[in-house]
Amino acid sequence: MELEKIEKLVNHLLSAQDKHTEINKLTETHCPDLTIKEAYAIQKALIEKRLARGEAIAGPKMGLTSQAKLQQMAVDDPIYGYVLDSMLIEDGGTIAINEYIHPKVEPELGFVLKEEIKGPGVTKEDVLAATDFIFPAIEIIDSRYRNFQFTLPDVIADNASAAGAVFGTSIKKLGTLDLETIGVVLEINGKVKEVGAGAAVLNHPAEAVARLVNILAEQGKSVKPGQPILTGAMTAAVKIEAGDYVEVKFGEGVGVVRLFVS
Ligand code: OOG
Ligand code: MG
């Protein structure tokens, strides 16, 4: 795809984000034959443009790593994108609904590595050995596309719907923690909306990190030690409204993350 076209699509996506208005899928209006490779080229250009605007990368995110999410979004493969510093909300912080289009929340486990691991061929065991700590998180996704509907290339170009992230402060060393059976409960206004377990994410959340490292390796990229990594929603995503109070609680003492919506 020519640079000019990429630039045009990036501006289109950014304008939807900045104006909080949904747009038609790129595959509907601009490029019906968009490939995954081209979609990542658009995502890369979009991130570069945001960096040029003064934003910085907080860390990478995996998406569509659970059956609940794949079914909810009717797509068939995990993807990655980037959380930027401008998207971060402190634990217990408040977001204004009118700064988004149709936001949803997702409960996620975050990883921070102590050593760099380079793909290809990285396994979940390599990830666990290189993990410094994990942390509880809420991701806010806000597809720029109409009715939150897209194909895989569309959502990749749209930086995997990334729009916000609350990183819990209760970091936890792995020790004897079992990330397969670790449970999570997503409550809104005190009502349970979704429940999940670690194994929902590619059978083990560390597998999501391994996949990420291996995909990035194909592009000569890696995950830096200390960078927060989101492993993908452990349940389906839930729409939020003004006035909502979101609480995500993880088992095994991993802790609670909170978000208010105004
Ligand atoms: C794509 C992003 C999915 C996750 O955790 O699965 C994602 C979307 O569903 O809009 O972040
Ligand atoms: Mg997510």
Side-chain angles (χ1 to χ4, degrees), residues 144-155:
R144 269 49 71 165
Y145 302 121
R146 195 171 307 287
N147 300 328
F148 229 109
Q149 280 171 2
F150 42 70
T151 66
L152 212 49
D154 285 309
V155 63

Side-chain angles (χ1 to χ4, degrees), residues 64-77 150 235-237:
L64 306 173
T65 46
S66 63
Q67 281 309 321
K69 282 290 305 179
L70 290 169
Q71 273 162 24
Q72 183 180 34
M73 307 323 295
V75 288
D76 49 17
D77 239 344
F150 42 70
T235 70

Side-chain angles (χ1 to χ4, degrees), residues 39-253:
Y40 276 115
I42 298 169
Q43 183 197 106
K44 183 164 178 274
L46 181 127
I47 302 291
E48 277 164 8
K49 182 125 196 180
R50 293 186 68 168
L51 298 184
R53 298 206 306 200
E55 298 172 70
I57 286 176
K61 59 163 273 187
M62 283 296 275
L64 306 173
T65 46
S66 63
Q67 281 309 321
K69 282 290 305 179
L70 290 169
Q71 273 162 24
Q72 183 180 34
M73 307 323 295
V75 288
D76 49 17
D77 239 344
I79 57 176
Y80 75 89
Y82 288 95
V83 174
L84 301 177
D85 61 348
S86 54
M87 299 179 191
L88 299 179
I89 301 127
E90 61 176 0
D91 189 5
T94 305
I95 57 162
I97 199 93
N98 61 9
E99 287 173 14
Y100 299 81
I101 305 169
H102 39 209
K104 296 182 189 180
V105 286
E106 302 179 320
E108 304 205 16
L109 273 178
F111 275 66
V112 170
L113 304 181
K114 57 188 175 211
E115 297 151 20
E116 189 164 310
I117 36 176
K118 284 222 166 95
V122 164
T123 63
K124 80 169 193 292
E125 286 73 25
D126 298 331
V127 170
L128 291 172
T131 297
D132 190 357
F133 58 85
I134 59 161
F135 60 94
I138 299 174
E139 191 189 17
I140 301 162
I141 52 168
D142 194 27
S143 172
R144 269 49 71 165
Y145 302 121
R146 195 171 307 287
N147 300 328
F148 229 109
Q149 280 171 2
F150 42 70
T151 66
L152 212 49
D154 285 309
V155 63
I156 290 168
D158 186 27
N159 190 25
S161 307
V166 189
F167 293 161
T169 46
S170 55
I171 64 172
K172 185 103 177 154
K173 294 280 178 189
L174 284 179
T176 55
L177 259 188
D178 180 356
L179 296 185
E180 219 181 315
T181 58
I182 187 174
V184 71
V185 179
L186 165 58
E187 290 184 3
I188 299 192
N189 305 325
K191 289 208 184 84
V192 174
K193 295 289 181 183
E194 292 288 341
V195 292
V201 173
L202 295 173
N203 300 333
H204 193 295
E207 183 62 36
V209 180
R211 287 262 201 127
L212 173 74
V213 168
N214 291 330
I215 303 171
L216 290 180
E218 286 170 24
Q219 301 156 29
K221 288 193 255 172
S222 62
V223 180
K224 306 272 172 305
Q227 262 191 335
I229 305 162
L230 289 181
T231 51
M234 289 162 75
T235 70
V238 179
K239 196 168 190 311
I240 45 174
E241 318 271 357
D244 281 349
Y245 168 57
V246 182
E247 206 168 84
V248 167
K249 306 177 197 177
F250 288 86
E252 309 249 7

